[in-house]
Amino acid sequence: DDIKEFEVYAKDKGTGVYVESNSYEVPSDATLEVEDVTDDVSKKFDKEMYKVYSAYDIDVVKMADGGFVKTIENGIDVYLPVNGRKVGEEMAVYHITDNGKGDEYKGVVVEVEGKQYVKFTTTHFSTYAVIEDTLEVPNTFDGVGYSIIALLVSIITLGGCILYKKKFN
């Protein structure tokens, strides 16, 4: 008999992080090891500019030999718990390096069994964090901005009319 479907699903009860894949690169006897490193990762970022929602060091260990699964070429879906977000909302998930933010992954908020998660796909296990930029860029084109632009356009138009009248008189 040929195996028609293959799915590996693992959830860390302590953190709520879970992963799933249909890749044969993940041994069926593998276990998920997750450490909540939110406090450590938060210290790497300016609190005025970034909000670190959560950060986890994620590993998959092969039970047969105790080695780590390093990469999954076909990708593996990772679900990081979040609260109070809108289902379908996009959130940035970053690979955390020694220097701070590494690669960015596009995550989307999903609901599974009544709980919210940011779901993203990666090809390797490491430390990942849900981080949001909190520095708001001021809107320079509010009512005052539009008034200034309208005034400048009026002055330029009036100046053009005066030059045109002087030239042809």
Side-chain angles (χ1 to χ4, degrees):
D1 289 316
D2 289 339
I3 296 175
K4 295 191 183 347
E5 277 190 38
F6 178 78
E7 183 173 71
V8 175
Y9 170 90
K11 184 171 186 175
D12 181 71
K13 291 180 182 177
T15 62
V17 171
Y18 74 93
V19 298
E20 63 183 3
S21 176
N22 59 3
S23 173
Y24 286 98
E25 297 172 90
V26 180
S28 60
D29 71 339
T31 61
L32 181 66
E33 290 187 0
V34 180
E35 181 182 358
D36 185 336
V37 292
T38 305
D39 290 339
D40 294 337
V41 170
S42 293
K43 292 174 186 174
K44 294 183 177 187
F45 296 96
D46 182 345
K47 288 176 183 35
E48 298 292 319
M49 296 181 66
Y50 301 101
K51 176 174 174 132
V52 177
Y53 284 93
S54 59
Y56 301 97
D57 184 16
I58 303 169
D59 285 310
V60 172
V61 180
K62 301 178 211 174
M63 292 305 292
D65 64 9
F68 291 98
V69 176
K70 298 290 183 188
T71 61
I72 306 295
E73 283 187 37
N74 295 337
I76 190 163
D77 293 331
V78 179
Y79 296 76
L80 304 179
V82 293
N83 292 314
R85 305 308 289 206
K86 192 167 106 179
V87 172
E89 177 182 359
E90 290 184 358
M91 295 187 80
V93 177
Y94 291 94
H95 170 229
I96 301 300
T97 67
D98 291 337
N99 299 325
K101 289 192 304 188
D103 295 331
E104 178 180 351
Y105 295 82
K106 298 293 181 193
V108 64
V109 177
V110 297
E111 190 169 307
V112 179
E113 297 176 1
K115 296 185 179 180
Q116 291 182 339
Y117 298 89
V118 174
K119 176 187 174 187
F120 70 102
T121 303
T122 185
T123 58
H124 64 284
F125 298 102
S126 189
T127 300
Y128 293 97
V130 180
I131 300 175
E132 188 172 67
D133 293 347
T134 58
L135 184 63
E136 290 189 28
V137 177
N139 185 356
T140 57
F141 292 107
D142 55 7
V144 174
Y146 286 121
S147 298
I148 291 171
I149 290 172
L151 177 64
L152 290 173
V153 169
S154 299
I155 291 170
I156 291 169
T157 303
L158 180 63
C161 289
I162 291 171
L163 287 174
Y164 179 80
K165 188 173 181 182
K166 284 185 177 182
K167 184 174 183 180
F168 291 103
N169 280 339

